[in-house]
Amino acid sequence: MSSRLFLSTSDRMTHEDALTRRLSEALTRVRQGAASPSYDEAVFLRELAERDFSSPQALDEVLDWTVGYLEKGGVQMTHPRYFGLFNPAPSYPSECADRVMAAFNPQVCVLSHAPVAVYIERHVVEAMCRRVGFRRAAGHMTSGGSEANASAVVCALTRRSPDFATRGCRAFDGQPRLYVSRESHLAWLKIAHICGMGREAVRLIETDGRGQMSPDELSTVLAMDTAQGDVPIMVAATVGTTNAGMIDPVMACKRLADRYHMWLHVDAAWGGALIADETQRAALAGIEQADSITIDAHKWFATTMGTGMFLTPNTDSLDACFHAKASYMPSQDASVDYYLTSMQWSRRFSGLRLFMALATGGWSAFAAHIQRAQSLVQYANEQLLERAWRVVNDSPMAVSCVVPPKGTTTPCHTIVERVVEAGNAWISIAEFERTPVIRFCITNGTTTESDMDVLVNELIRATDSPH
Ligand SMILES: *Cc1c(COP(=O)(O)O)cnc(C)c1O
């Protein structure tokens, strides 16, 4: 028996083989094509509108149409010259994990429903916690860094006043405050909104001229806020800022967190991957003292999307924040049932992506992946410096912020537009310490020095020479 939605075993096998081939061929074409979208939007939107679900279509046709448009209709994350916003070309083991988990579709929110999946996920989370240097290991996979950062805020609010659980922000005598740097990921504003603190609760602390939170500024603002009765809840140090890969002073944040009874969170969504390389540990000094940390495997650990992590040594906090009761749930054990210790209820088995990648490559493959990205950025920086360009960020990570030689009249955003328009490389415009810069980041494990040569040439070609 085979219907359109639920296929017989033999029909399934036919489709899966064809799909595997179709995807491999599409990805090969992507590598050779443009990094930027190269499709006809008007035609696509017309064809999309025609698909009003009134008449069923063969799966083959639906797949052909969808894959055909995806390989042209977007910025290509798998292109070796996508120098973009941390979105990786996914590692193959993590892609396999997606296929495996989709086939079994385990419900990871309770141990009793999916013991093997839950044990694997817990194993990965604990391994990450140990690698961070936490004394105790707790946490869970999240949809991404934003959910993980929001979880940190809920933990911070609940620890500061257990009444927060029942009374919300009325539990505080004054305005609760959240401290992050001006260069932090601005989802913090959205998170403050969602958590009921209000967007004004977020204090964007000035940076020190090098893209890192200024501890003096933080200290001054804390003194001012507490003098007027505000309640400091949390300080979040960014380890690997989005624009420039800079690292906030974690130790100084820790000292102020202790003095003001704040939760110390480390947002290492991208930069946290440095834990894979023991030789670079110094760059992460202090993160083991955090109350929680965000790491996105879907960034520098190169898994497919939707693989964030919230890691913490504070096991009790998770229980205090996310406990629930539902008579229909098969079990209620906060030590193993994720629906009792995290925001999500039904859960995808996203930890499998990181598990399969780490099991296949070990930490060493990721250390090599990181070092390779760093040396490619250095290689491109050297080429540009030789041509009188300037590198403005001093980051230990694999992202570069550059500006053209003095006297150049072409603004950075025009250079970026020209490069992206040409389609040979994808880069972005960013701001570093209030000046526009051109940003490129290595996100693909197969990018080579000759790809960097292409980028350098594209940058120079897009820049009118100074008079
Ligand atoms: C990407 C990023 C986030 C947001 O994470 P998502 O996975 O996109 O939700 C937060 N903070 C930093 C530093 C990031 O790099």
Side-chain angles (χ1 to χ4, degrees):
M1 241 284 292
S2 196
S3 75
R4 278 178 180 273
L5 297 183
F6 307 100
L7 275 59
S8 69
T9 309
S10 68
D11 282 355
R12 242 190 105 98
M13 281 169 76
T14 311
H15 277 288
E16 285 192 359
D17 287 347
L19 179 58
T20 301
R21 242 189 327 275
R22 192 186 259 117
L23 287 174
S24 291
E25 287 163 8
L27 290 176
T28 305
R29 284 190 296 271
V30 165
R31 290 184 71 83
Q32 292 152 0
S36 322
S38 58
Y39 76 119
D40 188 326
E41 190 178 41
V43 172
F44 168 74
L45 288 176
R46 196 171 60 238
E47 290 180 20
L48 181 63
E50 282 163 8
R51 286 166 168 73
D52 62 1
F53 315 132
S54 56
S55 47
Q57 221 186 341
L59 178 57
D60 273 335
E61 285 169 40
V62 178
L63 281 170
D64 271 340
W65 186 81
T66 310
V67 173
Y69 269 115
L70 279 172
E71 79 176 68
K72 294 207 150 81
V75 176
Q76 298 298 337
M77 310 290 110
T78 63
H79 196 287
R81 289 187 300 279
Y82 170 69
F83 297 112
L85 306 171
F86 301 152
N87 307 304
S91 71
Y92 189 66
S94 80
E95 272 187 66
C96 292
D98 268 303
R99 209 157 160 172
V100 171
M101 76 175 89
F104 291 96
N105 203 30
Q107 171 55 286
V108 187
C109 75
V110 279
L111 178 80
S112 59
H113 254 51
V116 165
V118 170
Y119 287 134
I120 288 176
E121 194 141 307
R122 195 171 65 171
H123 180 73
V124 174
V125 166
E126 288 177 353
M128 295 299 288
C129 283
R130 276 197 301 276
R131 201 77 181 179
V132 163
F134 284 160
R135 282 160 291 109
R136 268 168 306 155
H140 49 262
M141 306 307 297
T142 62
S143 56
S146 301
E147 183 197 326
N149 285 348
S151 300
V153 174
V154 178
C155 287
L157 287 162
T158 309
R159 190 175 71 183
R160 186 64 197 248
S161 169
D163 275 354
F164 175 75
T166 45
R167 303 189 63 230
C169 284
R170 288 175 303 153
F172 302 104
D173 296 332
Q175 165 75 54
R177 293 255 177 234
L178 165 60
Y179 301 85
V180 296
S181 97
R182 203 165 51 75
E183 285 282 323
S184 66
H185 193 279
L186 294 181
W188 287 117
L189 297 167
K190 201 159 102 174
I191 291 166
H193 182 160
I194 295 165
C195 293
M197 303 167 79
R199 292 180 186 234
E200 280 182 6
V202 181
R203 288 290 198 209
L204 297 176
I205 303 300
E206 270 304 319
T207 44
D208 59 358
R210 305 188 328 147
Q212 301 164 156
M213 188 195 285
S214 156
D216 291 342
E217 278 293 321
L218 176 60
S219 173
T220 307
V221 176
L222 276 163
M224 247 168 41
D225 284 351
T226 44
Q228 65 178 32
D230 295 351
V231 186
I233 299 294
M234 177 174 118
V235 55
T238 308
V239 168
T241 57
T242 311
N243 279 338
M246 300 310 297
I247 299 179
D248 286 341
V250 179
M251 305 287 209
C253 289
K254 165 72 180 157
R255 280 191 292 277
L256 288 165
D258 287 346
R259 169 140 32 113
Y260 288 96
H261 314 291
M262 294 186 288
W263 185 278
L264 172 64
H265 181 67
V266 168
D267 181 3
W270 175 58
L274 287 190
I275 59 171
D277 186 355
E278 294 285 11
T279 66
Q280 304 198 44
R281 185 71 210 189
L284 303 175
I287 63 165
E288 70 287 346
Q289 297 191 51
D291 288 301
S292 57
I293 178 166
T294 289
I295 300 180
D296 267 346
H298 66 214
K299 288 183 173 163
W300 217 350
F301 278 107
T303 68
T304 52
M305 288 290 177
T307 318
M309 280 171 278
F310 180 68
L311 308 173
T312 177
N314 300 307
T315 30
D316 296 349
S317 284
L318 294 175
D319 185 31
C321 292
F322 301 113
H323 62 87
K325 266 205 165 65
S327 56
Y328 49 80
M329 291 304 280
S331 63
Q332 298 248 356
D333 180 351
S335 67
V336 285
D337 290 344
Y338 284 120
Y339 81 102
L340 300 172
T341 55
S342 67
M343 280 198 206
Q344 295 179 29
W345 201 287
S346 289
R347 281 186 160 269
R348 195 170 169 77
F349 185 17
S350 57
L352 185 63
R353 298 166 179 147
L354 186 55
F355 173 79
M356 286 185 61
L358 279 170
T360 305
W363 295 108
S364 61
F366 284 99
H369 173 57
I370 283 158
Q371 288 166 12
R372 180 190 161 87
Q374 289 164 326
S375 68
L376 286 172
V377 160
Q378 219 158 24
Y379 172 82
N381 282 351
E382 281 160 16
Q383 312 265 320
L384 289 165
L385 288 167
E386 270 172 29
R387 291 163 172 85
W389 284 56
R390 281 167 299 144
V391 178
V392 300
N393 65 325
D394 180 20
S395 167
M397 298 178 190
V399 63
S400 187
C401 296
V402 298
V403 292
K406 280 216 164 59
T408 306
T409 49
T410 330
C412 287
H413 71 88
T414 307
I415 298 171
V416 169
E417 277 160 23
R418 287 175 180 168
V419 170
V420 170
E421 182 74 17
N424 293 320
W426 197 94
I427 52 173
S428 59
I429 186 84
E431 236 184 55
F432 183 70
E433 295 291 347
R434 298 197 160 88
T435 19
V437 294
I438 297 166
R439 176 190 183 283
F440 59 90
C441 174
I442 309 295
T443 59
N444 186 317
T446 65
T447 301
T448 60
E449 286 189 354
S450 56
D451 290 313
M452 303 316 290
D453 291 338
V454 172
L455 171 63
V456 169
N457 286 334
E458 290 288 309
L459 284 170
I460 288 162
R461 205 154 62 101
T463 308
D464 306 316
S465 41
H467 303 295

